[in-house]
Structures are given as C-alpha cells and as structure tokens.
Amino acid sequence: MAQSAVGRILRSQRSNPLRISIGTSSSQTRSYASRSIPTFTPTSSPELDEKLNRIREELFVPFGLPLRQRNLMFKTKLADRLDEEQYTTAIGKDDEEFQLRPMHPLTRPTMKEAFETISLMKNTQDWKNIIPFLSGLKLSKRVVKDDRWEWIIRHATEANALGIMLEAAKQVDRTGFKLSSVGVVRRYYFELHRWAAKNQFSEPTVSKAFGFAKQAAELMEWPEHVVRDPDVDPKRRPFVIGTLLELSAARALNQFDGKDEGGLVATYANRLQGVWSLVDTSKEAPDWPTADLRLQENVPILNGINLALQIKEIAGHKTIGSWLKQEKKKLGGSIQSLTSKAPENVKEKPTIGYQQTVLLRGK
C-alpha cells in the first residue's frame, strides 16, 4: 500500500512540472538559464535605463522563459499562485535570479514604446545596447518593418553608430537586421554619405565610411542577406556603387595625393557605367516625396563623379573619363531641375534629399 501511495505522488509531480509544493516551503527556485535573454549596459540617461529595464523584464524575459513558466506569469489561474508563493528562475548568461510575478498581456510594452526607447539613445555608449535590444525584439517575436529599419538607421547616424548597425547586420540571426531591402540599403548608404558630408569628406570619417560601405556590400553576398532576383537586388543599384565611388575618390584625394591607389576609383567608375541605365536622370517628378527620394539616390552619385574627376588618372582616361564628364552634365541638370521645383515649405524646412543638394552645391 505504501509503495502504491508513493507511486501516485511521483506520477502526480511528473504530470504537473509547474506545481509548487505549498506544504513544504514558502518559496521555490526553479533553475533555467536562458542565455538568449539580453542584458544592457548603463546608458547616459536614467530615463533610458528605466525604459530598457521595463522592456527587458516585461517583454524580453517572459518570452525567453520556457512556455510553462511564461504561462505561470500570464495565465490568471496559474498566476494566482505567484501571489501566494515566491517562484524564481535563473536567466541570462550570468544565471541572474529573476522572480516570476503575475503579468497581464495587455500591459506588455508595445512596439511604439520600443521605438520611443530607441529615440532616447543619443550617443555611442547608448547605442551599444541596440544589438541586445533588437535581439530581444526578435526573441519576443516582434517584427521590425522596413520603414522602421530606415528610421533606426537615421537615428544611428546622429549618434555616430552606423558601425554598430553594420555589426547588427553581421549578427542577422540574432537581430533580424537584413540588408536585403532596397529601401533599407538605400537608407544605410545615404546615411554614410551624409556622415561623410557632415565632416566635409575629411579623415578619418571618409575612411571609416568607406570601410563600412565595402563591408555592407560584402554582407549583401551572405546567404542571409542575398537577393536572387536581380530586379530587386539592392547591391546592383547605382546609389550603392555611386556612394562607393564617392567615398573611394574622397579617400584617394585625402590619403594618396589624388592618386587612384589600387585602382579602386576606376573599378567603381566602371561598375557605375555598367548599371547607369538604372539611374533616373529625368527632370520631372510626380510629387515632391518622389523627387526627394531621387535626390537621395542621385546626389551621392553626382558628388562621386565630381570627386572622381579630380583624380588625374580618371579625368584623363579616354573612355571612363569622357563618359563621366558626359553623364555628369545630364545628372547635374536633373538634380538642378528637381531642386528648383521644390515647394516653399521644403525650402523653409528642407527634406534630407534637398538639404544634401544645397549643402554640396554650396561647398
């Protein structure tokens, strides 16, 4: 009889692994080291620290726990147990102790709150948290849409964190950040251009930006980023090659006394010629957003041509030099026409394409 009773007790315990033994202890620790749950480093803002901690504890941690423990927190009937007894679990790479507590699904941080948190990241110290933050969103099955990736990249520029975003792309399995969308890649390369332009295409910014641009181009060959359809493959777009031409030419002028060291400038100029049919050099646009987007693509290309023609080896080349001079006129005329038709409100509060056009024209 005694053996039968013991058998029933053991079977009961195996059938309900969430069961807490009330009669033997007022608390219970269940060890589960979920090493995918991100941790954050201190930031420059107490408000940002507080928001990161809330999102971690109320979104990332629950989704990083086994389903049984998550149910214990979010299912009302099970969560009531947490009011009676403490239940802790080990999380993260350091086996941090986390006490489970009742949570309501409707109180979970939203994606709006997630982006508000990112907007509080103001410097590279803060942006060191973006990779664990993105990994937490991916862990929590939160999807970042392309327009939001573009938004994140713009904010990274202001904090001198484009290199960190490149690292996020290298850790795509963890972060979900892919260089496979034309819009996202356009934004990344245009922000490299803006970063270099802001620093007047001087060193060390130009070399860093050029290094990032080359690495991004290499990443687009990775299986995780590659696009098989050539019609929507971002690495074939002229704005990618044009930005590489621009940055390589600026680097040659700064570091190598205007010599095309290694023939990189000539290489990118030839590649640009190969995709020139994709460059829109028309002088009209159906609306200003379309025109401004075209400026964002074409202004770095035109500046790349201008810088390349300052290199004697390129300007004096019979084929590529004369071709660049010829297309420079067409592209310059298109950009001038588009900017001259900018609405008054754009002139008063410049959009980024228009802003870069004015900046480089006045240089």
Side-chain angles (χ1 to χ4, degrees):
M1 293 290 292
Q3 284 182 333
S4 177
V6 170
R8 285 196 300 272
I9 291 172
L10 291 174
R11 286 194 298 273
S12 174
Q13 288 177 340
R14 284 196 296 268
S15 66
N16 188 2
L18 286 177
R19 183 179 178 190
I20 300 175
S21 178
I22 297 175
T24 57
S25 174
S26 60
S27 67
Q28 179 170 334
T29 300
R30 184 68 54 88
S31 178
Y32 179 84
S34 179
R35 300 187 181 278
S36 60
I37 296 175
T39 57
F40 299 114
T41 57
T43 72
S44 61
S45 162
E47 182 185 4
L48 176 55
D49 288 333
E50 183 179 338
K51 282 188 173 292
L52 287 172
N53 186 62
R54 164 174 150 73
I55 291 176
R56 180 178 187 264
E57 292 199 356
E58 298 189 24
L59 183 63
F60 299 169
V61 169
F63 274 90
L65 295 176
L67 182 60
R68 297 187 188 96
Q69 294 181 339
R70 198 185 313 161
N71 287 341
L72 190 61
M73 299 170 71
F74 285 102
K75 288 194 174 181
T76 305
K77 290 182 180 180
L78 296 176
D80 288 343
R81 301 179 187 179
L82 299 180
D83 292 328
E84 300 173 5
E85 295 200 18
Q86 292 183 354
Y87 190 92
T88 59
T89 185
I91 63 172
K93 61 182 180 180
D94 298 322
D95 288 343
E96 169 193 351
E97 189 175 273
F98 181 81
Q99 182 174 327
L100 275 63
R101 60 183 184 274
M103 292 184 183
H104 195 286
L106 293 179
T107 66
R108 289 175 184 165
T110 62
M111 287 299 280
K112 179 182 178 182
E113 186 174 344
F115 293 121
E116 287 173 351
T117 301
I118 294 174
S119 70
L120 294 173
M121 297 180 181
K122 302 299 184 183
N123 54 42
T124 50
Q125 175 188 344
D126 298 343
W127 275 81
K128 288 178 181 177
N129 289 300
I130 194 64
I131 291 178
F133 190 83
L134 294 174
S135 71
L137 291 178
K138 191 170 186 290
L139 172 70
S140 308
K141 297 178 171 44
R142 269 40 182 185
V143 177
V144 180
K145 297 180 180 179
D146 284 352
D147 62 333
R148 279 305 191 173
W149 283 124
E150 293 184 42
W151 179 89
I152 291 171
I153 293 167
R154 284 199 301 270
H155 279 266
T157 307
E158 303 305 320
N160 195 24
L162 288 172
I164 296 175
M165 288 306 300
L166 185 66
E167 185 60 35
K170 292 177 182 178
Q171 299 184 39
V172 57
D173 288 341
R174 181 182 173 197
T175 64
F177 178 46
K178 291 186 177 184
L179 295 174
S180 56
S181 158
V182 169
V184 171
V185 172
R186 178 198 294 123
R187 179 58 47 219
Y188 188 76
Y189 275 83
F190 183 71
E191 294 305 321
L192 288 175
H193 157 82
R194 278 219 301 160
W195 181 37
K198 181 180 178 182
N199 290 276
Q200 299 180 328
F201 294 94
S202 61
E203 295 296 336
T205 302
V206 160
S207 288
K208 288 181 179 179
F210 180 51
F212 294 160
K214 286 198 300 179
Q215 289 181 61
E218 291 167 1
L219 278 176
M220 285 187 272
E221 299 285 356
W222 286 20
E224 298 90 339
H225 298 275
V226 74
V227 176
R228 301 295 179 189
D229 185 350
D231 292 336
V232 291
D233 184 358
K235 69 177 176 291
R236 295 185 70 251
R237 294 301 174 104
F239 59 77
V240 169
I241 302 168
T243 305
L244 284 162
L245 174 66
E246 174 187 50
L247 296 174
S248 64
R251 178 171 166 268
L253 291 167
N254 288 334
Q255 285 196 359
F256 306 118
D257 296 324
K259 295 179 181 179
D260 186 15
E261 193 76 15
L264 283 175
V265 180
T267 296
Y268 293 127
N270 278 299
R271 289 182 185 176
L272 182 63
Q273 186 177 22
V275 297
W276 192 258
S277 61
L278 300 176
V279 178
D280 189 343
T281 58
S282 60
K283 297 184 177 182
E284 302 291 337
D287 50 47
W288 181 252
T290 302
D292 195 72
L293 195 60
R294 194 183 300 163
L295 290 174
Q296 292 175 48
E297 292 189 353
N298 290 351
V299 166
I301 297 173
L302 179 61
N303 194 50
I305 292 174
N306 285 332
L307 291 174
L309 288 173
Q310 293 180 39
I311 298 172
K312 291 182 180 179
E313 300 162 69
I314 304 297
H317 197 282
K318 290 182 179 180
T319 54
I320 196 64
S322 59
W323 176 80
L324 286 172
K325 292 171 186 175
Q326 174 185 316
E327 299 305 330
K328 171 186 172 179
K329 293 180 181 179
K330 294 179 183 177
L331 190 58
S334 169
I335 290 173
Q336 183 177 3
S337 176
L338 292 175
T339 52
S340 68
K341 296 171 184 175
E344 288 302 317
N345 64 319
V346 169
K347 295 176 182 178
E348 294 172 3
K349 190 176 180 181
T351 50
I352 55 176
Y354 182 86
Q355 186 180 55
Q356 285 302 297
T357 307
V358 173
L359 174 67
L360 292 176
R361 182 185 293 166
K363 184 180 175 183

